Every structure is written in C-alpha cells, then in structure tokens.
C-alpha cells in the first residue's frame, strides 16, 4: 500500500506533524529503535531483556536502594513490569531484596556482588560499541544533544510537577 501524499493528509495531521514536541517524540522513538539495534550484541550477550538491564542500572545508579514503585516512576513503567524484571534479576542472583524500615511490603533493592560484576562487564562491552560508533561521527554532536535532551527532560518534569500539584 502506498503512503498517502501531502494532498491526502488532514489539517489536524499536518498540525500534529509540525508541532516541535510531537516531532521530538517521533525522533526519540526512531532513535530508540536504532540504538537498540546498535547495542543488540551487548544485550544478547548479557542474556537480559532491555527492561531487565534498565532495572539493574536503576538499582546500581540510585543514591540509595530504591523500591519497585520508585523505579517504575523513574522509568515510566508500570510497577508490574518492574516487578517481573526484579524477580528475574533476583532469580539470577544479581540483586537482593532488603528490609525497608519505611514500608513493610516494598523492599529495598540492592545489587549483589555478582550483579555489580555483571553490570561492569556489560558496561565495558557497551562502551566498546559506543567508542567504535563515535569514532565514525562527531562525538561533540552527541554530547550537545545529550545536554539538550537533559534540559528537555527537566522541563517536562517541572511542568508535570506543577500540573500535578494543581490537581
């Protein structure tokens, strides 16, 4: 089936596609797919799914051991998705559940020594892929883009905090 040409687009679709935030969301979705492909070998070698890897990273990069709901909010995933990843990581001996003095049913999550070593090995592989890619492009372009995306994320977070506090 042929793609519709500009004459077949509705005004609403044209307005949608010309909106800078919608354009950003579209590009982010496309880039996410390309980045997954770029790092596919690292992910396959690790044996973890992408969500499992994100959860392990969230646990290791947190200032203090997080809970499943905290990781879910941080990553924008439902608690059930995070819980499945946590169960898998725990079964593999990569994380432990610790008592939470502030909540009886939401344990704190911490990486085991095996989890730390596993993540370090995976990070070394990912860094090798990233360095090989960046040798082919302008790394400063990606540094600037990362900085701009951080600013965009923070602006969205501020907006959501203000919007949610009004409700």
């Amino acid at each position: 089936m042929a793609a519709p040409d500009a004459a077949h687009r509705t005004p609403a679709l044209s307005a949608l596609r010309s909106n800078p935030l919608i354009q950003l969301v579209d590009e982010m979705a496309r880039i996410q797919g390309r980045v997954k492909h770029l790092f596919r070998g690292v992910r396959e070698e690790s044996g973890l799914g992408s969500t499992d890897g994100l959860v392990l990273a969230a646990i290791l990069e947190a200032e203090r051991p997080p809970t499943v709901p905290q990781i879910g909010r941080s990553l924008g995933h439902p608690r059930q998705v995070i819980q499945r990843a946590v169960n898998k990581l725990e079964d593999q001996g990569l994380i432990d559940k610790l008592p939470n003095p502030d909540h009886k049913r939401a344990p704190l999550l911490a990486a085991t020594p095996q989890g730390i070593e596993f993540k370090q090995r995976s990070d070394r592989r990912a860094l090798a892929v990233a360095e090989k890619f960046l040798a082919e492009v302008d790394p400063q372009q990606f540094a600037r883009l990362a900085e701009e995306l951080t600013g965009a994320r923070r602006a969205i977070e501020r907006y959501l905090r203000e919007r949610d506090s009004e409700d």
Side-chain angles (χ1 to χ4, degrees):
M1 184 169 151
D5 61 18
H8 293 98
R9 289 191 184 138
T10 65
L13 182 59
S14 295
L16 187 68
R17 294 228 169 118
S18 66
N19 181 287
L21 183 57
I22 300 302
Q23 290 172 353
L24 175 64
V25 170
D26 181 60
E27 262 328 297
M28 287 171 43
R30 292 168 189 265
I31 288 173
Q32 181 180 17
R34 301 324 185 273
V35 168
K36 281 184 176 183
H37 189 71
L38 181 66
F39 290 99
R40 182 183 66 203
V42 175
R43 191 174 57 258
E44 288 173 352
E45 194 173 318
S46 79
L48 294 181
S50 59
T51 303
D52 305 332
L54 283 173
V55 170
L56 182 58
I59 291 167
L60 282 163
E61 294 169 8
E63 291 182 22
R64 57 186 72 76
T67 63
V68 166
Q70 289 169 336
I71 295 171
R73 284 189 298 273
S74 173
L75 297 178
H77 291 299
R79 184 197 58 74
Q80 295 84 348
V81 170
I82 303 303
Q83 187 63 60
R84 279 192 295 274
V86 163
N87 293 344
K88 183 175 178 181
L89 294 168
E90 184 180 31
D91 289 346
Q92 293 179 350
L94 301 176
I95 65 167
D96 280 330
K97 293 178 182 170
L98 308 173
N100 184 346
D102 298 324
H103 198 285
K104 291 181 182 182
R105 292 180 34 215
L108 300 174
L109 305 169
T112 63
Q114 295 89 345
I116 294 167
E117 182 182 324
F118 179 92
K119 179 74 167 76
Q120 289 172 340
R121 275 194 319 270
S122 183
D123 286 353
R124 284 191 298 272
R125 291 183 201 113
L127 186 58
V129 170
E131 288 175 347
K132 186 173 182 180
F133 169 74
L134 288 176
E136 303 291 323
V137 298
D138 175 12
Q140 289 306 310
Q141 175 187 8
F142 285 84
R144 288 188 301 270
L145 181 57
E147 188 175 319
E148 289 180 22
L149 287 172
T150 298
R153 177 183 49 82
R154 288 180 178 155
I156 291 169
E157 289 170 349
R158 272 191 309 277
Y159 173 81
L160 292 173
R161 272 194 310 273
E162 291 168 7
R163 183 192 73 183
D164 293 347
S165 71
E166 293 171 0
D167 292 340

